[in-house]
Structure formats: C-alpha cells, structure tokens
Amino acid sequence: MKSDETAASAYIYDRETTSADNADERIAVCRDYAARMGWNVAGQWVDRGDNAVSARRMQWVGMLAAMDFETPGRQPVCLVASWDRIARDASLRAEFRQMVSKINGVCVSVADRVPESDVIPSAVHRG
C-alpha cells in the first residue's frame, strides 16, 4: 500500500436528480472502494435537483477546483459509484470526464470499472 504522501486522493462525486434520490448509499460504496484501494478520501460533492442535470454544476465545479489544488505527488481521482452518476448521456459524460483529465485527474467508476481504453496513471493503482 502507498504511503499517505503518495496515495491517490479520491474526490467522490454523485448527484441526486429527484427528491426521492439519495446518494448516501452510493457514497458509502465509494468510500469503501477508496479504502480498499488505499486512497485518501479528499471529500465528497453532491449536486442536487436541477443543478444535478445542468451542464454547469456547482458541486462538480467545486470538486474540480479542489482537484486542481491537489497536493503535488498525489493523483486526483474523481470516484463515482457508476458512470451515470456523472451523466446518463454518453457525450455529456465524456465532456465532464475531459474536464477532470485537463487537470491531470482521472475518473473511476466502482460498478462499471474503467474501460481498457482509459489510461490510468500508476499512482491510481493499489501499490
């Protein structure tokens, strides 16, 4: 396992699109996954209601800012329970994932796993 100084940092993201939707269980799944991977959890961000389905999400933007400020030597990871937690629409999801990539981060889905075509820096893998 990597030391705290070099372990990846997980930035957990979710969205609640309706009042009946509750992200608590999905966030717990992400926290458990991060612990198993030896990643530090930097925090969690949840967009709710109309903000959860818009192209500009307040919590997503806040998470990106925190990831961009990440301590050197740590790989920022946007961790979601499944890809649809970012967006159900594949092209919109790709745009959001590109935002993370532009700040040298990577997105990881607990349920769906990262496709082989995505390159994941070695810092993200359990060491």
Side-chain angles (χ1 to χ4, degrees):
M1 187 180 293
K2 297 198 178 280
S3 70
D4 283 349
E5 291 79 35
T6 60
S9 292
Y11 294 76
I12 298 171
Y13 179 77
D14 207 307
R15 60 197 184 102
E16 296 175 347
T17 57
T18 67
S19 59
D21 193 7
N22 188 317
D24 292 346
E25 188 174 317
R26 294 185 299 263
I27 289 171
V29 165
C30 289
R31 285 186 169 277
D32 179 63
Y33 184 83
R36 285 186 282 126
M37 295 300 292
W39 298 344
N40 301 305
V41 175
Q44 62 192 45
W45 290 261
V46 180
D47 278 303
R48 293 178 172 88
D50 290 341
N51 197 51
V53 294
S54 72
R56 180 159 168 84
R57 301 177 188 163
M58 292 175 50
Q59 294 298 312
W60 180 268
V61 170
M63 181 191 69
L64 288 175
M67 290 176 83
D68 196 28
F69 190 71
E70 178 60 42
T71 306
R74 291 188 184 178
Q75 175 68 49
V77 176
C78 171
L79 183 59
V80 293
S82 62
W83 290 130
D84 68 347
R85 301 327 309 155
I86 295 174
R88 291 194 189 280
D89 177 75
S91 61
L92 182 59
R93 184 170 53 245
E95 287 178 39
F96 277 88
R97 290 179 68 190
Q98 185 64 30
M99 291 177 200
V100 172
S101 180
K102 285 182 180 178
I103 57 171
N104 297 317
V106 64
C107 292
V108 174
S109 165
V110 174
D112 304 315
R113 307 290 181 221
V114 175
E116 288 287 323
S117 62
D118 284 358
V119 177
I120 301 175
S122 61
V124 173
H125 294 289
R126 187 176 185 170

